[in-house]
């Protein structure tokens, strides 16, 4: 692999190392008791100091929804913006300020419903931002309607006879939108979350992290299968360069040579050689996409976590700034501006 | 020897198929006329379809130019000369052309089939239809083709030079200098020598044709207009807007960022700014109108000059984000190049019907500053003013240009940058408060007691980390649901915007005799027609006062006094009385609305007639 530029390159470093306390704001955290957001906030506040960057050069931008209260609790710069638009606001900020590490916090409604357009375009452009999508598969702030990731048939206040909609698979969507970094973590898995967020920040370009987040009020237990004691049988931890196995190494992911489809197999039956080796850096997104499809549209029973895809492609904002450099800055900007105003065809009145 | 007759002003309209290059022809004639020293005003008029079927009525594109030896403000109500390149162009435009006017027609397309296609039963060139006009019917296409026969062009490409032949002919007829167009063609087609040379040949042939034939008994000259000494160029409103934004950014020391989604008739601002990366201008063609304004807010948040450009339907989409700009109190310049609405309306036709949308089209009490330029060149000054107010007062500013200003051009005395005042962003660098524990903090909504302008710290400023957002906040930036705090904040945001009135000039009224009982009050692009109407009213022996608003929110402080000083106030607008509604609501003055929504500038002669009738009525 060629040497890649870090997503944090150009961001000033903290003069003295930061602690979790330094990135914890004065604001009282106001999520419901037991909300998965607490764990995600704690993991993020744990990761930030380890990145080594200056606190004042860190910006968290959110949209609307429970998750979007996040910036108030991080003592950095931050904006709690409007519904769905955080990726677009972050794009303007990232283009103009290469010295900032820009994080976007969003939810399944914010990113995939009202803000779907901005999400896919930020991803395809590969703007150097890190998008954390807290997916609780429900609308929380508006008190419990189905979301674009809710399973079909979901009974909610707005779907008393069951939701009719086919849900989005956020990772499939991101990969389809040409995302260059795609990962997943679970709110309660501090180590996994920390690893993924650290890698996401280090990736130059748009990093997309789906975080399975439990909503104890409106959709409690949505991820029970991938949490707790039985999670070994359902959580597939992806490690680059390693065979994709889980359940204590007894199960693995096999790729059909003809169709390219992935299936879960018993390792003992097929042998370790038949197990697919994870390659997050493969430029073709096919394998990452196939991995994302292991998680079905219904209740989550199987979920790969970790980094699905991490490929090095020029970041949009770097390219935009490079065009300014290519155009060449005038030695005397005032004189150059005056000359522009004069234009090509002038006449003089005496 | 052709007789030369001197005129004080001429209105020429070039009309042809959208593929005939009429806009280019008009642009070049304008440039050469401006260089000659006449005052000019132009009105391009083209269909929304990029290439409507050739030869049809909907496909007609035209360009009207008014040039004179005196100061003029409008492209003219009716043409003195019509150049029609096909039957459709004649059919669409002849109704506007008064008796006696010169009508130059390219006869090449006047076949029975083409005539029938546009609804002519008989040939208007021979059936007496044009008996009251000075008809000059020439096969311009054949003449152009003959002039380029040595360049080996195909039949179609050769015929395409007919617009340059026509331009050459008109250049001769009105004694215009030819160097500008020759240099332009050499530049434009530098990489395609055969196209360059054939266009030059056709242009020169047109000029020579006028000289050598005796088709025209008279040629005309319009002497230069007296203008203030200085260096001039011609500029249209969209270009002037782009330049104004660039200059303002330089004056503020804040790099310019444009987030925009293409929309007629605003796209040319995006195109123009995209050319100036060498001046540090970042342009972002967003996925939609909302992303355009949102990215501009992101750039503003980072301390750059965030701008978004659009037209009416796009402004509707941006409103929620502009509300975020109001709440977060960040600078934001929104340029709305208005077009006829509602909905998609008439995309290429002008209107002024977004005023109330700009004022009130957001949820909640959401005051923004609203400005409108009065002429193409004034787009420059208004853009600078918009940025100045946005940055100084940390507020969204909506600039209401329109399609007529955007595409119309006029001479521009090139501004001296040294004379434009700097803009001071005044970024906060030190904390301004403390938290409950006594630790220093930046409170983003702590305000200047005089102006109510908030303290603004940009990311990267150590020790001033804070959060802002769309939720109501206390001074500290903490979310506040306190009823009294909300009431206070709503009033403070309004007071801040209203207070900007202290920082804008009083309204000046033009009332030379001092005896006027009628005031004509315009805003935006009606300036030219209203001023011309006022002149005509005075020339007819009546006293009339004229004034014009650039600042629509807040209004100049003396506006109420001005309105009450006259027995009658007429407010001409290209809408159904939007400014009139605001004036009535604000000042309880019974202003009279003069409204026209035809997708074209108001006719100054109609307005003058209306004004005279009103004055007579006031006398009686």
């Amino acid at each position: 692999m060629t040497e890649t530029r870090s997503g944090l390159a150009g961001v000033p470093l903290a003069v003295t190392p930061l602690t979790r306390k330094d990135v914890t704001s004065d604001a009282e955290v106001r999520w419901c008791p037991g909300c998965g957001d607490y764990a995600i906030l704690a993991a993020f506040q744990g990761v930030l100091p380890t990145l080594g960057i200056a606190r004042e050069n860190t910006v968290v931008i959110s949209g609307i929804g429970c998750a979007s209260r996040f910036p108030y609790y991080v003592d950095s710069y931050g904006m709690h913006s409007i519904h769905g638009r955080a990726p677009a606001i972050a794009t303007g900020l990232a283009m103009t300020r290469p010295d900032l590490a820009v994080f976007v916090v969003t939810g399944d409604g914010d990113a995939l419903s009202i803000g779907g357009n901005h999400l896919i375009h930020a991803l395809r452009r590969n703007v150097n931002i890190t998008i954390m999508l807290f997916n609780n598969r429900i609308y929380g702030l508006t008190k419990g309607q189905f979301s674009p990731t809710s399973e079909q048939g979901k009974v909610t206040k707005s779907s008393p006879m069951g939701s009719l909609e086919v849900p989005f698979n956020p990772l499939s969507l991101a990969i389809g939108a040409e995302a260059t970094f795609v990962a997943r973590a679970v709110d309660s898995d501090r180590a996994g979350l920390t690893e993924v967020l650290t890698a996401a920040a280090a990736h130059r370009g748009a990093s997309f992290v789906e975080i399975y987040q439990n909503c104890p009020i409106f959709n409690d237990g949505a991820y029970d299968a991938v949490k707790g004691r039985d999670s070994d049988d359902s959580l597939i931890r992806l490690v680059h360069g390693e065979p994709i196995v889980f359940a204590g190494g007894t199960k693995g992911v096999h790729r059909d040579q003809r169709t390219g489809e992935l299936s879960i197999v018993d390792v003992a039956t097929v042998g370790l050689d038949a197990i697919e080796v994870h390659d997050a850096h493969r430029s073709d997104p096919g394998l990452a996409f196939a991995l994302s499809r292991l998680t079905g549209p219904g209740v989550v029973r199987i979920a790969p976590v970790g980094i699905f895809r991490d490929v090095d492609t020029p970041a949009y904002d770097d390219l935009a700034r490079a065009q300014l450099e290519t155009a060449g800055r005038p030695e005397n900007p005032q004189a150059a501006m005056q000359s522009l105003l004069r234009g090509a065809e002038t006449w003089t009145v005496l | 020897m052709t007789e030369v007759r001197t005129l004080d002003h001429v209105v020429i309209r070039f009309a042809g198929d959208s593929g005939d290059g009429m806009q280019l022809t008009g642009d070049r004639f304008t440039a050469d006329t401006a260089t000659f020293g006449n005052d000019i005003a132009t009105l391009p008029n083209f269909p929304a379809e990029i290439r409507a079927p050739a030869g049809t009525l909907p496909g007609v594109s035209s360009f009207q130019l008014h040039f004179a030896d005196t100061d003029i403000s409008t492209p003219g109500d009716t043409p003195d000369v019509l150049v029609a390149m096909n039957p459709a162009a004649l059919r669409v435009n002849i109704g506007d052309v008064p008796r006696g006017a010169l009508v130059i027609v390219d006869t090449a397309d006047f076949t029975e089939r083409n005539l029938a296609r546009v609804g002519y039963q008989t040939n208007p060139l021979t059936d007496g239809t044009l008996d009251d006009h000075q008809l000059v019917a020439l096969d311009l296409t054949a003449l152009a083709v003959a002039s380029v026969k040595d360049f080996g062009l195909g039949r179609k490409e050769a015929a395409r030079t007919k617009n340059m032949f026509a331009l050459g002919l008109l250049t001769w007829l009105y004694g215009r200098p030819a160097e500008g167009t020759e240099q332009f063609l050499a530049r434009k087609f530098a990489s395609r020598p055969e196209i360059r040379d054939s266009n030059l040949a056709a242009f020169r042939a047109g000029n020579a044709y006028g000289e050598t034939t005796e088709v025209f008994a008279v040629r005309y000259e319009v002497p230069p207009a007296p203008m203030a000494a200085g260096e001039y160029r011609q500029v249209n409103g969209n270009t002037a807007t782009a330049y104004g934004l660039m200059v303002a950014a330089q004056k503020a020391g804040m790099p310019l960022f444009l987030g925009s989604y293409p929309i007629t008739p605003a796209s040319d601002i995006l195109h123009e700014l995209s050319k100036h990366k060498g001046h540090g201008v970042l342009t972002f063609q967003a996925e939609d109108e909302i992303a355009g304004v949102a990215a501009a807010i992101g750039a503003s948040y980072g301390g750059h000059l965030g701008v978004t450009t659009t037209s009416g339907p796009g402004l509707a989409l941006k409103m929620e984000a502009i509300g975020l700009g109001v709440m977060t109190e960040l600078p934001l310049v929104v340029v709305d190049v208005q077009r006829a609405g509602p909905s998609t309306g008439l995309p290429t036709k002008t209107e002024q019907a977004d005023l109330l949308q700009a004022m009130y089209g957001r949820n909640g009490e959401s005051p923004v500053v609203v400005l409108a330029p009065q002429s193409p060149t004034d787009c420059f000054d208004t853009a600078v003013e918009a940025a100045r107010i946005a940055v100084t007062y940390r507020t969204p500013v909506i600039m209401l240009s329109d399609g007529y200003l955007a595409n119309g051009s006029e001479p521009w005395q090139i501004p001296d940058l040294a004379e434009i005042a700097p803009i001071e962003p005044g970024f906060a660098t030190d904390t301004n408060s403390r938290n409950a524990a006594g630790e220093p903090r930046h409170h983003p909504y702590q305000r200047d007691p005089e102006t109510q302008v908030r303290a603004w710290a940009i990311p990267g400023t150590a020790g001033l980390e804070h959060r802002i957002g769309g939720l109501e906040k206390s001074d500290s930036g903490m979310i506040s649901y306190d009823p009294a705090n909300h009431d206070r904040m709503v009033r403070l945001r309004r007071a801040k915007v209203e207070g900007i009135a202290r920082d804008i000039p009083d309204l000046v009224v033009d009332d030379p005799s001092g005896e006027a009982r009628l005031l004509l009050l315009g805003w935006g692009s009606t300036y030219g027609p209203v001023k011309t109407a006022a002149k005509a009213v005075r020339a007819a022996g009546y006293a009339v006062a004229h004034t014009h608003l650039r600042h629509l929110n807040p209004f100049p402080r003396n506006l109420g006094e001005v309105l009450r000083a006259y027995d009658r106030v007429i407010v001409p607008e290209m809408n159904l009385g939007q400014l009139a509604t605001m004036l009535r609501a604000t000042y309880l003055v019974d202003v009279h609305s003069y409204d026209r929504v035809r997708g074209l500038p108001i006719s100054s002669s109609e307005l003058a007639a209306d004004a005279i009738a009103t004055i007579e009525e006031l006398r009686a």
Side-chain angles (χ1 to χ4, degrees), chain B residues 24-85:
Chain B
L24 174 68
T25 308
D27 271 339
R28 284 317 314 165
F29 196 87
T30 302
D32 294 335
T33 293
T35 310
F36 180 74
N38 293 124
D39 196 6
I40 54 167
T42 70
L43 176 66
N45 194 351
F46 42 85
E49 294 80 8
I50 302 304
R51 289 280 187 278
T56 61
L57 300 175
V60 173
S61 163
S62 71
F63 186 103
Q64 184 162 311
L65 162 69
H66 181 190
F67 59 104
D69 66 358
T70 51
D71 173 29
I72 51 166
S73 324
T74 76
D77 291 346
T78 55
D80 303 308
V81 184
L82 172 68
V83 180
M85 300 303 281

Side-chain angles (χ1 to χ4, degrees), chain A residues 56 76-77 97 341-342 347, chain B residues 231-233 459-461 467:
Chain A
E56 64 269 22
S76 65
Y77 282 87
R97 293 290 304 272
L341 298 191
R342 265 192 96 238
W347 69 95
Chain B
E231 194 176 28
Y232 287 79
R233 62 174 285 179
T461 314
R467 275 63 56 192

Side-chain angles (χ1 to χ4, degrees), chain B residues 75 170 282 401 555 583:
Chain B
L170 272 289
L282 265 177
S401 178
F555 285 131
L583 293 173

Side-chain angles (χ1 to χ4, degrees), chain A residues 58-95:
Chain A
T58 306
V59 181
V60 185
I61 297 179
S62 64
I64 293 293
C66 294
S68 292
R69 295 294 179 96
F70 200 91
Y72 293 118
Y73 309 134
V74 181
D75 198 6
S76 65
Y77 282 87
M79 189 196 294
H80 177 207
S81 76
I82 44 176
H83 211 3
R85 319 302 171 199
I89 293 171
T91 296
L93 185 62
M95 287 179 73

Side-chain angles (χ1 to χ4, degrees), chain A residues 21 24-28 30 54-61 64 69 71-83 85 87-97 99-100 114 117-119 121-122 124-125 127 316-317 320-321 323-325 327-330 332-350, chain B residues 28 31-32 34-35 37 180 184 187 227-234 243 246-247 250 257 272 276-288 290-291 294-295 297-299 301-304 320-321 324 328 330 380 411-412 414-418 435 439 441 457-471 473 477-479 481:
Chain A
K21 187 171 173 295
T24 304
S25 79
D26 297 339
E28 178 196 352
R30 287 190 202 159
R55 182 174 71 164
E56 64 269 22
N57 290 78
T58 306
V59 181
V60 185
I61 297 179
I64 293 293
R69 295 294 179 96
Y72 293 118
Y73 309 134
V74 181
D75 198 6
S76 65
Y77 282 87
M79 189 196 294
H80 177 207
S81 76
I82 44 176
H83 211 3
R85 319 302 171 199
I89 293 171
T91 296
L93 185 62
M95 287 179 73
T96 49
R97 293 290 304 272
D99 61 325
L100 303 178
I114 195 166
N117 199 29
H118 309 305
L119 177 74
H121 289 279
R124 79 169 167 94
R125 288 191 188 104
V127 183
Y316 174 81
D317 44 317
R321 288 185 295 264
Q323 284 192 337
L324 299 190
E325 295 307 318
R329 289 178 194 272
N332 182 337
Q334 283 77 22
M337 189 73 78
Q338 187 71 61
S339 161
L340 173 72
L341 298 191
R342 265 192 96 238
E345 289 182 59
T346 65
W347 69 95
T348 302
V349 174
L350 298 172
Chain B
R28 284 317 314 165
D32 294 335
T35 310
F184 168 84
R187 271 200 314 274
M227 291 198 220
E231 194 176 28
Y232 287 79
R233 62 174 285 179
Q234 105 166 260
Y243 288 171
M246 289 176 67
V247 166
Q250 191 173 76
F257 177 92
E272 183 64 35
H276 300 302
K277 300 190 194 306
H279 291 269
V281 180
L282 265 177
T283 53
F284 171 58
Q285 182 176 310
E287 58 270 24
D288 59 25
I290 299 171
I297 289 173
Y301 179 63
H304 288 226
E320 188 197 16
L324 178 68
T328 53
L330 286 169
F380 176 85
W412 185 34
I414 298 161
D416 181 356
L417 286 184
N435 68 1
E439 296 156 324
R441 289 287 185 270
I458 59 171
T461 314
L464 277 69
E465 294 84 353
H466 66 280
R467 275 63 56 192
I468 56 175
L471 281 174
K473 303 287 191 298
M478 294 284 185
I479 300 168
Y481 293 106

Side-chain angles (χ1 to χ4, degrees), chain B residues 182-195:
Chain B
E182 298 211 346
Q183 286 163 11
F184 168 84
L185 291 172
R187 271 200 314 274
K188 184 172 169 73
F189 298 116
S191 60
R192 301 176 67 196
E194 75 286 1
I195 301 292

Side-chain angles (χ1 to χ4, degrees), chain B residues 510-554:
Chain B
D510 174 39
D511 181 8
S513 68
E515 290 168 4
R517 296 173 64 191
L518 170 68
L519 170 69
L520 301 178
L521 185 148
W523 70 276
S525 77
T526 60
Y527 175 76
V530 178
K531 183 181 167 190
T532 305
K535 265 190 195 172
V537 171
R538 287 170 197 152
Y542 299 88
V544 68
H546 172 220
T547 191
H548 198 78
L549 280 173
R550 164 189 276 175
H551 295 91
L552 297 152
N553 195 45

